Amino acid sequence: MPDQTADRTGLRGDCEHCFGLCCVALPFTASADFAIDKEAGRPCPNLRTDHRCGIHARLRDKGFTGCTVYDCFGAGQKVSQGTFGGQDWRTGPPEQARRMFDVFPVVRQLHELLWYLTEALTLPAARPLATDLRRALEATEELTLLAPEQLAALDVAAHRQEVNVLLLKTSELARAGVRGRKKERRGADLMGARLRGADLRGANLRGAYLIASDLTGADLRGADMIGADLRDADLTDADLTGAFFLTQPQVNAARGGTGTRLPESVTRPVHWTAQL
């Protein structure tokens, strides 16, 4: 199995060094994920003056499941402490606060790309692409260090498209080494699908809609999971060992248990245990 334990410390959210940006900059709509409506740039009413959540331990009970799923990939601390040099949006001028809120989602997208590129470099099958992957990683990191005005004007979509070409090649090489027939399910509508015990080894599940699907006991070893929507998917006893481009938000959005086997790059959500 590929080594997915590369140091990605800076690509994980560190709320202690962030000014609660995800609780202010991002909008959300009253739904199954959020109990209320909130506009972008307006602080969530649960955000305390110390930038901590007042209901953090009860988010799911209070109707804020979406908050327990979200992860900024380390963009929060990068923008707070790096881009804006530790200047709190509460105490700075209003125009700086607005700029900070504009920049945060841009850096978040760049950090997500850094997550994928870092992982791609750990996959033995992707060694022929190592030079190109490193260049893309360095170029993406350089973009995260741009001045606020440059970040706000950055065409992230264009950069994502360039990086995606490399990630697609990486996926093809990685999945080619998985034995057996590889299923092609890119962008497939598998919402509520009955996939209990399914053999999905080396499958291409990029962007697949797996919302509320039953993946109990499914074999997802070596599958490409980039962008797969796992909201409320049942991963009980599923094997995702060696699945790549899987992120913590995806895992957080799913359901699982102690028998679910995960790559070492992600952690088992606390709420999975609570569901047992």
Side-chain angles (χ1 to χ4, degrees):
M1 291 299 172
D3 175 15
Q4 294 180 314
T5 60
D7 183 17
R8 282 180 270 192
T9 304
L11 300 178
R12 302 177 191 274
D14 179 3
C15 297
E16 291 296 324
H17 295 91
C18 176
F19 297 130
L21 294 183
C22 64
C23 305
V24 187
L26 306 179
F28 48 74
T29 304
S31 61
D33 293 323
F34 297 100
I36 60 174
D37 292 321
K38 189 192 81 66
E39 299 175 355
R42 180 165 62 88
C44 173
N46 297 311
L47 185 65
R48 303 185 316 206
T49 56
D50 63 355
H51 302 298
R52 297 294 172 263
C53 176
I55 60 168
H56 186 266
R58 298 170 291 142
L59 281 168
R60 287 181 169 264
D61 294 337
K62 293 293 186 179
F64 289 87
T65 300
C67 296
T68 67
V69 171
Y70 182 81
D71 188 276
C72 72
F73 293 99
Q77 64 261 30
K78 172 69 77 63
V79 173
S80 297
Q81 304 301 329
T83 312
F84 288 88
Q87 177 65 60
D88 190 338
W89 58 267
R90 289 185 188 273
T91 57
E95 59 271 18
Q96 179 170 291
R98 286 192 294 270
R99 181 66 74 190
M100 185 179 287
F101 302 151
D102 289 340
V103 163
F104 171 66
V106 174
V107 177
R108 197 264 186 190
Q109 290 185 68
L110 293 173
H111 269 226
E112 183 177 0
L113 290 177
L114 289 175
W115 177 277
Y116 297 138
L117 288 166
T118 301
E119 181 168 348
L121 283 164
T122 70
L123 302 176
R127 284 172 186 159
L129 300 172
T131 299
D132 291 335
L133 286 169
R134 286 195 185 92
R135 287 173 180 165
L137 182 72
E138 291 169 1
T140 304
E141 177 61 33
E142 288 177 4
L143 290 177
T144 70
L145 302 177
L146 291 174
E149 295 74 17
Q150 294 172 301
L151 280 166
L154 184 66
D155 187 347
V156 184
H159 184 66
R160 287 185 72 102
Q161 197 166 31
E162 291 178 10
V163 172
N164 192 47
V165 173
L166 274 176
L167 297 180
L168 281 168
K169 291 179 180 179
T170 297
S171 175
E172 291 169 0
L173 289 173
R175 292 185 299 106
V178 179
R179 292 182 179 180
R181 183 179 179 183
K182 274 77 73 174
K183 293 182 172 61
E184 178 62 47
R185 294 290 186 269
R186 183 177 182 181
D189 184 352
L190 298 171
M191 290 190 288
R194 297 177 181 177
L195 297 169
R196 179 181 290 259
D199 182 358
L200 294 169
R201 287 173 295 173
N204 183 359
L205 293 170
R206 295 171 68 92
Y209 296 94
L210 289 158
I211 302 170
S213 59
D214 183 3
L215 288 161
T216 302
D219 192 342
L220 292 150
R221 287 177 293 173
D224 182 347
M225 303 299 294
I226 196 168
D229 194 335
L230 295 174
R231 282 178 292 169
D232 206 32
D234 192 346
L235 296 176
T236 301
D237 295 330
D239 189 351
L240 289 95
T241 307
F244 54 94
F245 298 151
L246 182 69
T247 66
Q248 195 64 51
Q250 286 173 293
V251 176
N252 291 348
R255 292 181 290 125
T258 56
T260 306
R261 280 159 284 185
L262 296 169
E264 293 184 13
S265 56
V266 295
T267 59
R268 193 175 307 276
V270 175
H271 64 268
W272 281 13
T273 305
Q275 291 174 349
L276 296 178

